[in-house]
């Protein structure tokens, strides 16, 4: 019989790639979508009609319990979060409720219904925060530096406590930055690829960017959802750091994107301190050895391939709109 997966946060970038993967594997996929955002399922494009939509607020604990009871999912993926980190300063409590509250309510649902559903929690490299060692692995302490990261740490520990106390098959993937053509333009990769494509087509003139020396470990979202799925197929529930193990600067990102469209980035890019973040001297870089050893997981798409994929998709989209 086909397995059923329930996804919170299904309309985001990762929700799309995960749904696509699970549908390819023959799963029935259901997504939790707040009633006032029911149209957002359309963001999933060609796969939208194959998704069972459960219209429910993520703050509605009894409602979530009844979805879990009716659906009896084999796997639950909690990807729900307001993912743009700086926004969490504007609404720390709302961030906490969405990130930690959703994890807690779903875990409570699994426990109360008493089904053997496997649970995935989307944790983040932001939880490492002000690191004093690099790269980071599953034993690196968390020192979160913003409300988003603090909420993710809370959700992570809530999941660990449920695993220990109630013996649930629950695990978390501590994912480093992962990108794709589906990334919203507020994030730096997409901001840059969109600007490069727009300038190439004569639709834009300049790119204003923040700290060119900021470094990140960037991978491809399509690879990272494979790691999520593998975690839930493993013999034991364990937490994993997922990243490439390679650092790149924003400068390298900009240079790579502009070189895809044969432009000299230095002619088009201006640094604007408005986009700087305070205290960004630490280096978030993954040590994904455990995922390779236990799950056989390795990223397939390199940094250069990722940026090329994003730039070409943006060119294609903009060209279509222009015609
Ligand atoms: P991040 O992603 O905060 O790491 O979180 P983002 O793409 O916003 O920033 C990456 C790095 O680029 C630097 N930067 C800029 N960032 C933006 N957005 N705009 C700019 O103009 C700019 N210039 C430089 C930033 O300072 C930063 O160093 C992502 C999200 O997906 C989180 O949800 C997730 O948890 C983490 O990755 C892992």
């Amino acid at each position: 019989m086909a397995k059923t997966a329930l996804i919170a946060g299904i309309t985001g970038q990762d929700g799309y790639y995960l749904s696509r993967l699970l549908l390819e594997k023959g799963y029935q996929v259901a997504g939790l979508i707040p009633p006032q955002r029911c149209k957002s399922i359309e963001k999933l494009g060609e796969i939208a009609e194959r998704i069972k939509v459960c219209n429910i607020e993520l703050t509605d604990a009894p409602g979530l319990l009844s979805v879990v009871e009716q659906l009896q999912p084999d796997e639950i993926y909690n990807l729900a979060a307001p993912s743009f980190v700086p926004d969490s300063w504007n609404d720390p409590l709302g961030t906490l409720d969405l990130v930690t509250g959703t994890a807690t309510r779903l875990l409570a649902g699994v426990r109360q219904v008493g089904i053997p559903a496997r649970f995935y929690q989307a944790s983040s490299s932001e939880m490492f925060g002000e690191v004093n060692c690099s790269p980071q692995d599953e034993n690196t302490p968390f020192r979160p530096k913003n409300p988003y990261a603090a909420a993710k740490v809370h959700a992570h520990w809530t999941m660990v406590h449920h695993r220990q106390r109630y013996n649930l098959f629950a695990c978390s993937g501590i994912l480093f930055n992962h990108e794709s053509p589906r990334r919203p333009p507020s994030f730096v990769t997409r901001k840059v690829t969109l600007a490069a494509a727009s300038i190439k087509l004569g639709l834009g003139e300049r790119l204003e960017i923040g700290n060119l020396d900021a470094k990140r470990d960037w991978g491809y979202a399509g690879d990272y959802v494979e790691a999520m799925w593998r975690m839930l197929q493993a013999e034991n529930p364990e937490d994993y750091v997922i990243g490439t193990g390679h650092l790149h600067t924003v400068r390298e990102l900009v240079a790579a994107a502009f070189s895809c469209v044969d432009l000299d980035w230095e002619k088009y890019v201006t640094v604007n301190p408005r986009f700087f973040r305070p205290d960004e001297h630490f280096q978030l870089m993954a040590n994904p050895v455990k995922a390779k050893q236990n799950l056989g997981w390795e990223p397939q798409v390199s940094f250069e391939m990722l940026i090329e994929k994003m730039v070409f998709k943006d060119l294609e989209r903009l060209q279509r709109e222009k015609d």
Side-chain angles (χ1 to χ4, degrees):
M1 218 173 74
K3 280 189 180 178
T4 301
L6 176 63
I7 304 177
I10 196 164
T11 56
Q13 166 189 267
D14 294 4
Y16 169 80
Y17 286 103
L18 180 63
S19 301
R20 203 176 69 173
L21 178 82
L22 295 174
L23 288 169
E24 275 165 20
K25 290 186 183 295
Y27 279 66
Q28 287 174 344
V29 178
L32 299 169
I33 301 187
Q36 76 280 10
R37 292 185 39 225
C38 60
K39 279 205 170 303
S40 62
I41 189 71
E42 289 166 13
K43 286 201 225 160
L44 298 188
E46 76 286 358
I47 61 169
E49 62 191 27
R50 298 172 64 196
I51 307 286
K52 177 181 166 54
V53 175
C54 307
N55 279 135
I56 185 134
E57 294 291 352
L58 297 175
T59 48
D60 176 359
L64 290 177
L65 182 73
S66 100
V67 168
V68 172
E69 199 158 27
Q70 281 167 26
L71 210 61
Q72 303 264 319
D74 299 281
E75 295 169 14
I76 299 178
Y77 295 85
N78 178 28
L79 315 179
S83 58
F84 190 54
V85 176
D87 282 352
S88 67
W89 291 104
N90 302 331
D91 185 13
L93 209 51
T95 304
L96 185 70
D97 193 33
L98 185 51
V99 173
T100 310
T102 307
T104 310
R105 287 184 277 268
L106 285 171
L107 285 160
V110 173
R111 183 172 62 79
Q112 285 169 36
V113 175
I115 50 169
R118 297 188 165 203
F119 185 91
Y120 173 85
Q121 170 59 25
S123 287
S124 162
S125 55
E126 279 292 306
M127 302 191 316
F128 294 125
E130 191 159 356
V131 290
N132 47 18
C133 67
S134 194
Q136 295 86 44
D137 64 20
E138 294 76 9
N139 299 314
T140 305
F142 300 139
R143 299 171 74 193
K145 295 269 295 169
N146 53 62
Y148 167 87
K152 284 280 183 186
V153 171
H154 192 158
H156 175 86
W157 283 116
T158 300
M159 179 282 301
V160 171
H161 297 154
H162 276 72
R163 178 167 71 205
Q164 291 170 346
R165 188 176 168 103
Y166 302 113
N167 210 20
L168 298 186
F169 192 110
C171 38
S172 98
I174 305 174
L175 269 51
F176 284 63
N177 297 53
H178 46 290
E179 317 295 315
S180 76
R182 290 192 158 253
R183 207 40 153 159
S186 46
F187 295 91
V188 74
T189 49
R190 184 75 200 296
K191 179 175 173 178
V192 169
T193 63
L194 195 55
S198 307
I199 295 169
K200 180 68 182 178
L201 295 177
L203 300 170
E205 289 176 3
R206 299 206 64 77
L207 166 65
E208 285 199 354
I209 196 89
N211 184 2
L212 284 169
D213 296 318
K215 293 179 182 164
R216 283 291 190 268
D217 176 338
W218 280 293
Y220 173 51
D223 285 342
Y224 288 33
V225 298
E226 170 77 27
M228 296 176 189
W229 176 75
R230 289 193 191 195
M231 279 178 225
L232 295 199
Q233 316 312 310
E235 206 174 318
N236 300 308
E238 289 185 44
D239 306 324
Y240 289 91
V241 155
I242 302 296
T244 69
H246 300 287
L247 269 186
H248 291 277
T249 58
V250 171
R251 182 178 280 100
E252 286 166 338
L253 160 67
V254 172
F258 278 73
S259 99
C260 289
V261 288
D262 295 321
L263 292 177
D264 174 2
W265 70 272
E266 294 186 77
K267 292 188 183 148
Y268 302 96
V269 177
T270 320
V271 170
N272 185 338
R274 181 161 81 85
F275 298 109
F276 275 59
R277 296 186 192 173
D279 291 344
E280 224 186 18
H281 51 271
F282 39 87
Q283 299 196 342
L284 291 174
M285 181 172 79
N287 175 0
V289 164
K290 181 178 169 188
K292 184 174 178 189
Q293 281 173 351
N294 291 11
L295 306 174
W297 180 85
E298 275 186 287
Q300 303 298 309
V301 175
S302 69
F303 174 74
E304 291 74 19
M305 285 159 69
L306 169 66
I307 302 308
E308 196 178 285
K309 203 188 245 302
M310 292 176 69
V311 172
F312 289 145
K313 197 71 184 179
D314 278 327
L315 274 176
E316 199 184 294
R317 251 186 241 149
L318 291 171
Q319 188 67 61
R320 233 189 356 251
E321 284 165 24
K322 207 176 158 199
D323 291 342

